[in-house]
Amino acid sequence: MIVFNKSKYAEIGRKVRALPTEKSGSTHEWEELVQKMCASDDAGLHNIGIKELSELKHKG
């Protein structure tokens, strides 16, 4: 099992905020990251992945 600390969540948050907001839809890289978060054993990452996957489906 992979253990993540709060700094890892902060790093993910910084990367998400760094994504250009003017782009509509999603990129292949973002969809791949969301899939990896959904498959994560870490409950926090898994929950974030599920929420983001729901948003992707809603947008698509």
Side-chain angles (χ1 to χ4, degrees), residues 12-59:
I12 292 169
R14 282 191 298 274
K15 288 181 180 181
V16 168
R17 285 189 296 277
L19 291 173
T21 55
E22 67 274 359
K23 271 190 162 177
S24 62
S26 65
T27 64
H28 174 70
E29 292 85 6
W30 177 247
E31 292 174 8
E32 187 176 315
L33 177 60
V34 168
Q35 291 296 329
K36 288 180 180 180
M37 287 191 292
C38 287
S40 175
D41 290 335
D42 181 275
L45 287 176
H46 178 77
N47 290 337
I48 292 169
I50 296 298
K51 289 176 187 175
E52 290 298 324
L53 184 60
S54 175
E55 287 293 321
L56 287 174
K57 287 180 180 178
H58 180 69
K59 288 179 184 178

